[in-house]
Amino acid sequence: MAQSLLEQLRELTVVVADTGDIQAIEQFTPRDATTNPSLITAAAQMPQYHGIVDETLLTAKQEAGADASDKEVANLAFKRLAVAFGLKILAIIPGRVSTEVDARLSYDTEGTLATARDLIAQYEAAGMSRDRILIKIAATWEGIKAAEILEKEGIHCNLTLLFGLHQAIACAEAGVTLISPFVGRILDWHKKETGKDYAPTEDPGVLSVTEIYNYYKKFGYQTEVMGASFRNIGEICELAGCDLLTISPKLLAQLKDQEETLERKLDPAKAADMDIDKITLDKATFDQMHQDDRMASEKLDEGIKGFSKALESLEQLLADRLVQLGEGESLANHATQDLFAAYDLDGDGLITREEWMGTDAVFDALDLDHDGKVTKEELSCGLGGACTLAV
């Protein structure tokens, strides 16, 4: 009997679900899963998760004290909600869940350390081993230095918003557990810059991850490579053999439905025989390489702003819900208008992928007609029904 692409991929690569939707995770049974504010924002508005949201908000309000503002309670609730969803996911999957540090702390080593330790303490208080948690941190120099300290404390890290070899090398030298290079966003930048379309074999994002993978395997680094942010299954197939790949439910469904033969493209044995120069990296070299790589510097900055904005939207939604809890209103009553206004930067009545700047899995789920733009109607539908994340 012929195997699907997804079945074949699982024989070569660990498949990770890029979603906060527990139902989607149950359907595709990945080993690991990852979440972030934009995923949680989408999931938090699904009726089946209202109980989690409300319970977390009320607990946060009690913890914050009577004098805390709705905004302060919402900020605390976000951290608690990330753990609450993480615990639900860990009850389903056999592996690890990635939980994200506030993106607004991306250049704050001490702030990142404090938040990461707090998240781990919450998981452990709930009886979950830290070995099943990956703390997700932006791959700035400051974030990488925080991850280096955390790894020595037995707190494992997933470095995200990674677009360049210099970021990857710094992570490996710091002993980071895992990195998440963003394939699709690299492709987006090059398409916008050149006006060209790229076949999967020439895709700049695929080539970037391939270079990082080969560098790691050549020099024996233990840091795992997890390709992320895919635009199509062609990119995924070109990275078959990568340590891990985190894939949205939409693309998981496409892989599950196709039965053509999948060829292994990345192989540690082949990488070991390659002629690759080793790069010695200190902060000055990192800064210079980052400055010279316009794509990496622009996409890192854009990504931090996008994840920060997603978090601010989630905090506003939680603050609104805190008020609604006292008034008996539905969670989603005001969410569509507020979120659409936050992301429709030019006010043209459409949200493009560039304006969204949050998680690609959520954008793909909301973009019901797959035209690269989200209308208010699609957002409204997504917040209620299509937020099963297109599965």
Side-chain angles (χ1 to χ4, degrees):
M1 182 176 176
Q3 285 187 307
S4 71
L5 285 175
L6 182 57
E7 290 172 315
Q8 294 174 76
L9 182 64
R10 282 182 167 145
E11 294 176 357
L12 304 172
T13 293
V14 173
V15 174
V16 178
D18 189 11
T19 175
D21 181 6
I22 295 165
Q23 291 179 343
I25 293 169
E26 289 175 331
Q27 177 177 355
F28 291 105
T29 60
R31 192 194 77 177
D32 295 351
T34 184
T35 69
N36 63 42
S38 58
L39 289 171
I40 293 172
T41 299
Q45 294 169 88
M46 300 181 207
Q48 61 266 40
Y49 303 136
H50 285 185
I52 298 174
V53 175
D54 291 351
E55 181 181 354
T56 302
L57 266 173
L58 293 174
T59 301
K61 185 173 179 63
Q62 184 177 20
E63 184 179 345
D67 295 334
S69 68
D70 288 348
K71 185 174 181 181
E72 290 170 331
V73 173
N75 181 268
L76 178 61
F78 156 67
K79 300 172 187 175
R80 303 300 181 254
L81 195 59
V83 173
F85 273 97
L87 289 168
K88 292 288 185 182
I89 291 168
L90 286 167
I92 301 169
I93 64 172
R96 306 167 296 190
V97 68
S98 290
T99 299
E100 186 163 317
V101 167
D102 188 330
R104 294 169 295 193
L105 300 173
S106 295
Y107 295 100
D108 181 350
T109 298
E110 291 304 318
T112 296
L113 288 171
T115 300
R117 290 164 180 156
D118 177 56
L119 290 170
I120 289 297
Q122 288 182 63
Y123 275 113
E124 291 185 329
M128 188 59 63
S129 168
R130 65 178 57 190
D131 289 337
R132 295 193 66 195
I133 314 302
L134 290 171
I135 298 298
K136 201 171 182 183
I137 301 169
T140 60
W141 180 263
E142 293 79 6
I144 294 167
K145 292 296 105 179
E148 185 172 19
I149 295 168
L150 292 169
E151 291 283 356
K152 291 175 182 176
E153 297 176 3
I155 297 174
H156 304 302
C157 299
N158 169 1
L159 272 289
T160 188
L161 293 177
L162 194 147
F163 303 99
L165 182 62
H166 59 291
Q167 293 173 287
I169 294 172
C171 289
E173 294 286 352
V176 165
T177 296
L178 181 145
I179 62 169
S180 304
F182 276 19
V183 179
R185 297 196 187 194
I186 295 174
L187 173 64
D188 293 345
W189 188 92
H190 283 277
K191 287 177 70 172
K192 187 174 181 180
E193 189 75 7
T194 66
K196 290 172 51 180
D197 286 324
Y198 295 85
T201 55
E202 300 172 340
D203 185 304
V206 169
L207 297 178
S208 177
V209 174
T210 299
E211 179 184 33
I212 291 168
Y213 176 92
N214 288 334
Y215 188 95
Y216 276 17
K217 304 312 175 189
K218 171 69 177 182
F219 298 110
Y221 289 111
Q222 296 304 304
T223 299
E224 297 174 300
V225 181
M226 180 172 75
S229 172
F230 293 104
R231 296 289 174 260
N232 54 70
I233 64 171
E235 292 177 319
I236 295 168
C237 293
E238 285 300 316
L239 293 175
C242 193
D243 298 324
L244 307 94
L245 297 174
T246 180
I247 306 170
S248 69
K250 170 188 168 185
L251 296 180
L252 285 171
Q254 291 180 24
L255 290 166
K256 189 175 182 180
D257 289 342
Q258 295 196 30
E259 294 185 344
E260 61 196 78
T261 301
L262 180 67
E263 176 187 351
R264 180 169 196 146
K265 296 300 179 84
L266 301 186
D267 189 327
K270 292 180 180 177
D273 292 333
M274 291 180 179
D275 184 16
I276 301 173
D277 293 330
K278 200 168 193 299
I279 298 173
T280 302
L281 200 69
D282 55 15
K283 187 176 188 304
T285 306
F286 178 94
D287 289 344
Q288 187 61 56
M289 290 179 71
H290 194 65
Q291 180 180 324
D292 292 343
D293 189 338
R294 188 161 62 89
M295 179 275 297
S297 59
E298 289 181 5
K299 296 305 288 185
L300 175 62
D301 181 65
E302 177 188 284
I304 290 171
K305 289 177 180 175
F307 282 173
S308 297
K309 186 171 184 177
L311 177 52
E312 289 164 5
S313 296
L314 175 57
E315 287 178 344
Q316 184 60 54
L317 180 122
L318 292 174
D320 291 345
R321 178 55 178 163
L322 199 58
V323 174
Q324 293 163 17
L325 280 172
E327 299 174 357
E329 294 185 29
S330 167
L331 177 63
N333 275 358
H334 307 297
T336 300
Q337 292 285 351
D338 293 344
L339 285 178
F340 198 89
Y343 284 104
D344 180 18
L345 300 181
D346 58 8
D348 66 349
L350 297 167
I351 301 173
T352 64
R353 191 181 293 276
E354 289 73 22
E355 286 176 314
W356 177 254
M357 293 194 299
T359 298
D360 296 311
V362 176
F363 185 90
D364 289 339
L366 295 174
D367 182 17
L368 300 180
D369 59 6
H370 311 305
D371 66 348
K373 299 173 184 177
V374 173
T375 64
K376 190 173 294 184
E377 290 72 24
E378 286 176 315
L379 184 65
S380 178
C381 179
L383 298 186
C387 271
T388 52
L389 293 188
V391 302

